[in-house]
Amino acid sequence: MSVNIPLYKEISQSLADQNVTLVAVSKIKTVEEIMALYNAGQRDFGENYVQELVEKYESLPKDIRWHFIGHLQSNKVKYIAQFVHLIHGVDSERLIKEIEKQSIKNNRKIHCLLQVYIAQEKTKFGFDQVELEDFFKNKFGQYSHTQFDGFMGMATFTDDEAQIKNEFDQLKKIFDQFAQSPFLPKPLSILSMGMSADYKIAIDAGSNMVRIGSLLFGARW
């Protein structure tokens, strides 16, 4: 088992002191590895694949808050709708419509983050600023059973820290612009950005939720 408990405790305490939520990315990690962090106090875990998330939900403690952090296909929402704590990568209106449908069907509000496109990579997904403005002004009211808590973004995969910082600063600026929107029933509260390699840059830019995997569990294979 490669779980680094001392490092976890150091990171989690530091993030708690900064009012930043730690989502431990447990993709492809075993039940035993997840339980090691659970027993150390971790409750927020993030998964990228629906089937794996469902299997882990069924076999792990029910007070775990499961975050779906991968690219979610509309036809897979139904499998996690009953229990998912937060869906991070909501990147299209088609997906929002399906989340709304499943929220109604399961008689619960599903909490979501809208993914904002900030990276200089075509493989990333998300809304741009113009699409966000159109959504909040003209379409937001259609979704009464879906809870939009904030934004999520991923920086370009690069060693250029200045570029990463600029992209995170850009997302923070967009977040601040929309957080107090008059079309919202309550202000946006979550800005999820930053992973193992860049979470400190993200926090400096204003992130209050980070997704960390390899630092805690060791490198993936």
Side-chain angles (χ1 to χ4, degrees), residues 28-71:
I28 76 169
K29 298 306 175 183
T30 66
V31 167
E32 291 74 21
E33 288 173 308
I34 294 171
M35 281 304 300
L37 281 191
Y38 177 90
N39 289 331
Q42 181 65 20
R43 290 297 180 271
D44 292 275
F45 289 89
E47 290 286 332
N48 290 60
Y49 304 116
V50 168
Q51 183 176 348
E52 186 177 352
L53 171 54
V54 170
E55 291 172 355
K56 288 176 178 175
Y57 167 75
E58 291 174 348
S59 60
L60 284 158
K62 293 301 179 279
D63 62 336
I64 287 178
R65 295 181 290 269
W66 290 107
H67 298 242
F68 191 84
I69 59 175
H71 179 59

Side-chain angles (χ1 to χ4, degrees), residues 4-20:
N4 191 330
I5 297 300
L7 181 58
Y8 161 72
K9 290 184 176 179
E10 177 185 333
I11 291 175
S12 62
Q13 184 59 60
S14 174
L15 295 179
D17 291 344
Q18 300 174 82
N19 295 313
V20 176

